[in-house]
Amino acid sequence: RAWMVPLTRGVVTGASVSIVRSTHTTRHTKGRKSVRMTPFRVPATAGAACVESSETHPAWPAVGCVPGFLRRVAECNEITSGAMGMRYIPLLVAGQAVGLMMPEFAAALLGAGDDVFELRRGDDETNGGIGETTNGADGGDGADTNGKAYSNVVTGDERKNLLAAPESMLSDSKKKKLVVTLDHANAMTAPQRTETVKPILERLKTQNVITGWRDELFPVNKNYGEPPLLLVERASASLLGIKAYGVHVNGFVSDPSNGRVSKIWVARRSATKQTFPGMLDHLVAGGLPANMDPGECCVKECEEEASIPLVLARKAQPVGLVTYSSNYKGCCKRDVLFCYDLELPSDFVPQPNDGEVESFELLTVDVVSKLIANTKEFKPNVAVVLCDFFVRHGLVAPSDPGYVELVQNLRQ
């Protein structure tokens, strides 16, 4: 789903895809070693399935691609509100519903928690749960869970048996609303909760329950802008099912003759990335750490990932949000992405800087639209942000079948 204020162009003929390639040799330096990056290849099948060519409808470079765009949006929103209550165990912090956990991880967290985390049961069968009401404007779950209603702590053999068979917590929760709680009485400060939970997450790291440790803290809150209830290691965010915030930058070049978007800068993620290695990505994208403004994060990521000078990075324009609830390795990944558009000079060439990007390529709008519609080359959330970019910049024909559904799915 996107909450935005209200993509680019090439030629696909048969099985051949023409690409605008930079003549600049892409390198990045890590330590003292200069590494030449392998230019990436675009699948020849990328243009095979769109109904019509942009040569036929030059005003609409992404003509015929709407069905493919709809598939990408659906793939990034696999988890419905109804499924949340049936597949995940809610996490309540200080009485607020902030997370959704797989039963297996909930059991591991409870087992490693030294009674810091508690398993509780609702007082009756009518208690609300996270994901059971409509979404808020920032992608919030909108849940009105009354944390104080969960007064019954599950202990003894019953707790032991539930942790030994995590799925039983889920089936039981359909009737008696089992939840995991932290500081249920709201007696601790946010820093105290952070320090209390830190060794528990580190213990799960040593047990290989939490992998891909980043040494980067993410806030835990119900909605963006609210004071965090605590800070947690970034690698635990999807396992906890908390909202995670990020920044994505659409880097593009305009046609000087008409001012319309003509080309888009696309990155190839490093093959050594912990998540989605080797996939296509935005010019710049990154997680939003605790205590950092989205605009500040945008500028920082521009320099770190693409060597974009400050004077250019500061021209990035905030254009809204994209939110989704996706299935990531079984986890309920609930992300809120702050989106930016950055128009770049035609002679500017981004440079990989921090090793997270293998190479950059300047592709025509037509090529990018067909890569999104007909392949899964793009990182899933990047594809959704680009779909919105195409709509906002008038690169998708309103007369295309499925256009209204696409816009509704992006906006609702």
Side-chain angles (χ1 to χ4, degrees):
R1 297 174 301 279
W3 297 77
M4 318 289 289
V5 299
L7 240 148
T8 326
R9 191 142 131 197
V11 178
V12 175
T13 307
S16 66
V17 182
S18 67
I19 307 167
V20 179
R21 293 190 181 278
S22 167
T23 57
H24 185 89
T25 301
T26 303
R27 295 174 180 267
H28 88 273
T29 302
K30 199 170 186 179
R32 295 185 178 180
K33 185 177 180 181
S34 180
V35 182
R36 176 163 182 156
M37 296 304 177
T38 305
F40 61 79
R41 301 284 182 263
V42 175
T45 56
C50 283
V51 178
E52 299 178 82
S53 168
S54 63
E55 292 178 300
T56 308
H57 298 278
W60 313 109
V63 67
C65 290
V66 169
F69 287 3
L70 282 167
R71 287 193 293 272
R72 300 294 88 82
V73 173
E75 288 163 0
C76 214
N77 279 284
E78 298 171 283
I79 302 177
T80 63
S81 294
M84 288 179 183
M86 297 179 66
R87 293 164 56 182
Y88 299 96
I89 306 296
L91 170 66
L92 276 64
V93 176
Q96 296 191 45
V98 295
L100 289 163
M101 301 181 293
M102 292 185 296
E104 296 81 3
F105 182 75
L109 189 67
L110 288 162
D114 295 330
D115 296 325
V116 170
F117 289 93
E118 295 178 314
L119 184 62
R120 290 174 176 264
R121 178 179 286 111
D123 295 337
D124 54 51
E125 297 186 35
T126 60
N127 294 317
I130 193 168
E132 294 182 358
T133 60
T134 56
N135 287 342
D138 72 340
D141 46 73
D144 189 25
T145 300
N146 180 7
K148 294 181 180 179
Y150 293 89
S151 60
N152 302 312
V153 181
V154 179
T155 60
D157 288 342
E158 183 183 9
R159 181 181 187 274
K160 180 179 179 181
N161 292 335
L162 286 168
L163 298 194
E167 288 296 325
S168 64
M169 289 194 292
L170 197 60
S171 58
D172 188 70
S173 67
K174 294 177 184 177
K175 297 179 180 179
K176 300 180 181 178
K177 299 294 181 183
L178 288 176
V179 300
V180 174
T181 65
L182 168 68
D183 186 22
H184 196 60
N186 193 16
M188 305 167 67
T189 65
Q192 287 172 334
R193 294 187 198 105
T194 299
E195 291 304 310
T196 300
V197 170
K198 180 180 177 181
I200 297 170
L201 298 181
E202 290 175 341
R203 193 173 306 153
L204 292 175
K205 172 191 175 184
T206 63
Q207 297 171 0
N208 290 321
V209 175
I210 299 177
T211 58
W213 200 267
R214 304 285 192 95
D215 285 319
E216 185 177 338
L217 294 177
F218 269 21
V220 177
N221 51 18
K222 197 174 176 73
N223 295 297
Y224 180 77
E226 297 177 353
L229 297 167
L230 75 156
L231 306 179
V232 297
E233 157 62 31
R234 176 177 177 174
S236 69
S238 59
L239 290 163
L240 293 168
I242 62 172
K243 292 224 188 83
Y245 306 99
V247 170
H248 281 231
V249 181
N250 300 295
F252 66 96
V253 175
S254 295
D255 184 337
S257 67
N258 56 24
R260 296 193 71 189
V261 177
S262 60
K263 299 169 186 174
I264 295 175
W265 279 106
V266 174
R268 173 73 73 181
R269 292 167 68 86
S270 168
T272 60
K273 284 282 288 181
Q274 295 168 342
T275 57
F276 305 101
M279 297 192 76
L280 297 184
D281 206 332
H282 273 113
L283 170 71
V284 170
L288 180 60
N291 304 316
M292 183 176 289
D293 177 84
E296 178 187 354
C297 182
C298 171
V299 172
K300 177 182 77 73
E301 294 289 341
C302 280
E303 193 282 325
E304 288 181 359
E305 292 191 357
S307 304
I308 299 174
L310 187 63
V311 65
L312 279 180
R314 284 180 171 168
K315 293 182 178 181
Q317 296 295 310
V319 291
L321 299 172
V322 164
T323 73
Y324 52 84
S325 297
S326 65
N327 183 337
Y328 178 67
K329 297 181 179 180
C331 299
C332 183
K333 186 170 174 57
R334 304 187 301 137
D335 289 348
V336 178
L337 305 181
F338 293 86
C339 302
Y340 288 77
D341 285 356
L342 177 58
E343 183 173 3
L344 293 167
S346 59
D347 60 350
F348 176 78
V349 179
Q351 300 289 309
N353 187 35
D354 60 4
E356 294 194 4
V357 171
E358 180 179 291
S359 57
F360 291 100
E361 200 80 36
L362 185 60
L363 305 182
T364 59
V365 174
D366 188 52
V367 169
V368 173
S369 66
K370 289 171 175 56
L371 280 168
I372 296 169
N374 306 323
T375 78
K376 293 187 178 182
E377 287 281 305
F378 275 99
K379 184 169 174 273
N381 60 358
V382 172
V384 175
V385 175
L386 283 171
C387 286
D388 183 83
F389 179 85
F390 273 71
V391 170
R392 288 187 294 104
H393 284 271
L395 301 168
V396 181
S399 58
D400 263 10
Y403 177 87
V404 172
E405 182 183 0
L406 174 64
V407 175
Q408 288 175 336
N409 289 350
L410 286 168
R411 300 291 186 265
Q412 68 185 6

